[in-house]
């Protein structure tokens, strides 16, 4: 299993950043443009255990998978969202988003991703995997959140 954790400071209020992670599909698409669609399959009152069917476009191919909410916390100064899904029956992936309020205009965003191969031959691909995608995602969230504040 591979695990990457990166942190970035965003010059935007915590609620501003959170809406891209825990809001509408339109908001999510601003930071994850490959997400084509997300429909609720099972919604729980406590959020944990909720399942969404997500369609994701990679080039000309569209993948569809179910994303389950594994952890959820929406406090004033600290917000957490952890989701898990299986990609192409080959990888079990978790994404953990943690937001911490630094002050009214600044948020700390920590993003942790785990990737566990489900087939022996895909383990080789993970040997060459880097944190590039994680870093690019953090930068995109920062740029989108800060651009909206500066409008």
């Amino acid at each position: 299993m591979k695990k990457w954790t990166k942190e970035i400071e965003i010059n935007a209020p915590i609620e501003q950043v959170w809406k891209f992670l825990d809001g509408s599909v339109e908001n999510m698409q601003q930071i994850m443009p490959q997400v084509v669609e997300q429909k609720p399959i099972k919604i729980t009152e406590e959020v944990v255990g909720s399942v969404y069917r997500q369609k994701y476009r990679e080039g000309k191919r569209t993948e569809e998978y179910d994303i389950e909410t594994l952890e959820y916390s929406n406090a004033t100064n600290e917000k957490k969202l952890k989701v898990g899904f299986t990609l192409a029956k080959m990888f079990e992936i978790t994404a953990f988003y943690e937001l911490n309020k630094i002050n009214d205009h600044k948020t700390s965003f920590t993003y942790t991703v785990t990737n566990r191969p489900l087939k022996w031959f895909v383990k080789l691909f993970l040997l060459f995997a880097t944190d590039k995608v994680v870093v690019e995602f953090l930068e995109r969230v920062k740029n989108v959140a800060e651009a909206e504040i500066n409008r």
Side-chain angles (χ1 to χ4, degrees):
M1 181 172 81
K2 278 269 200 169
K3 181 178 182 176
W4 299 272
T5 300
K6 293 288 177 191
E7 187 178 343
I8 197 167
E9 233 177 65
I10 300 175
N11 294 310
I14 192 168
E15 292 296 336
Q16 176 71 28
V17 182
W18 183 240
K19 78 174 194 175
F20 296 110
L21 301 167
D22 187 43
S24 68
V25 177
E26 293 77 26
N27 283 341
M28 184 192 303
Q29 287 171 328
Q30 290 184 58
I31 59 167
M32 299 179 211
Q34 304 91 333
V35 173
V36 181
E37 180 180 281
Q38 180 164 299
K39 291 183 178 170
I41 301 296
K42 176 180 132 190
I43 301 297
T44 65
E45 210 172 292
E46 59 281 344
V47 183
V48 173
S50 293
V51 178
Y52 296 86
R53 176 137 319 132
Q54 193 174 82
K55 285 186 181 176
Y56 184 91
R57 184 170 295 124
E58 192 65 55
K60 292 182 179 175
R61 217 175 73 226
T62 301
E63 287 284 333
E64 188 175 278
Y65 43 83
D66 291 348
I67 294 180
E68 182 178 358
T69 304
L70 305 171
E71 191 176 326
Y72 183 86
S73 169
N74 187 0
T76 305
N77 296 324
E78 180 184 76
K79 299 176 184 304
K80 295 178 182 179
L81 174 63
K82 184 176 186 179
V83 296
F85 59 97
T86 301
L87 185 60
K89 295 184 178 122
M90 290 199 203
F91 298 100
E92 197 173 83
I93 297 170
T94 65
F96 187 36
Y97 314 102
E98 293 176 90
L99 299 178
N100 287 290
K101 180 178 178 175
I102 296 171
N103 61 40
D104 287 348
H105 309 288
K106 229 178 227 189
T107 304
S108 169
F109 176 30
T110 305
Y111 179 46
T112 302
V113 178
T114 62
N115 191 331
R116 189 169 71 86
L118 299 175
K119 307 220 185 303
W120 66 270
F121 57 90
V122 294
K123 287 182 183 178
L124 296 171
F125 292 112
L126 280 185
L127 292 175
F128 304 103
T130 68
D131 64 0
K132 182 178 179 241
V133 173
V134 175
V135 171
E136 287 174 353
F137 177 70
L138 283 174
E139 289 292 334
R140 189 166 45 248
V141 173
K142 177 180 173 67
N143 292 337
V144 168
E146 289 179 358
E148 195 163 281
I149 287 298
N150 295 325
R151 275 190 211 153

